[in-house]
Each structure stands twice: as structure tokens, then as C-alpha cells.
Amino acid sequence: SDVYKRQELRKKNSKELQEELEGLLKEQFSLRMQKGSGQMSNPARFKTVRREIARIRTIMTEMGNQA
């Protein structure tokens, strides 16, 4: 669930978070392309990916403020 995911993300270092973020951004891009071509297989995934991206960026910002 979300709480578990948040705790897992907080354990990662900034390099791991950056890699995770890049993967999600690529997935978001491919989902956007699917949506544009009318081949969207899982519309709910779009919302999930968007929220995970926001979650990672928030944690990265918090880490930056603590440094």
C-alpha cells in the first residue's frame, strides 16, 4: 500500500530514487503515447504512476532540505 511504498522509498539513497524516478517518467511517457494512439490498456496505471512520481520528488526535496 501507499504507506509501505513510502517507507521503502525513504530507505533508498538519492541515486536509487533518481533511477526509480527516471523509470517512472519513461513509463508515464509510454502510457501517454498509448493514450494518444487509443491503445490504453490500463488507464488507472496513469494515475498511479503520476502519484508515485510526486511521492519520489517530495522525498527527494525533503532529503535536499535536510542536507
Side-chain angles (χ1 to χ4, degrees):
S1 69
D2 287 352
V3 174
Y4 174 74
K5 183 88 175 162
R6 232 175 291 146
Q7 289 171 346
E8 286 297 305
L9 288 173
R10 287 186 193 283
K11 291 177 188 171
K12 296 185 177 194
N13 63 35
S14 59
K15 188 176 187 298
E16 291 170 326
L17 286 172
Q18 189 63 41
E19 289 169 2
E20 182 109 9
L21 181 63
E22 286 172 14
L24 286 167
L25 289 171
K26 285 177 184 170
E27 183 178 351
Q28 186 184 43
F29 180 78
S30 75
L31 286 170
R32 212 177 305 133
M33 291 297 110
Q34 285 177 25
K35 186 178 180 185
S37 63
Q39 298 173 351
M40 192 86 173
S41 58
N42 186 359
R45 183 70 184 141
F46 203 76
K47 181 178 179 181
T48 310
V49 169
R50 194 176 71 231
R51 289 192 172 170
E52 286 180 23
I53 290 170
R55 195 171 289 131
I56 289 174
R57 285 186 170 156
T58 300
I59 291 169
M60 289 173 81
T61 302
E62 288 171 358
M63 288 170 74
N65 291 343
Q66 290 173 354

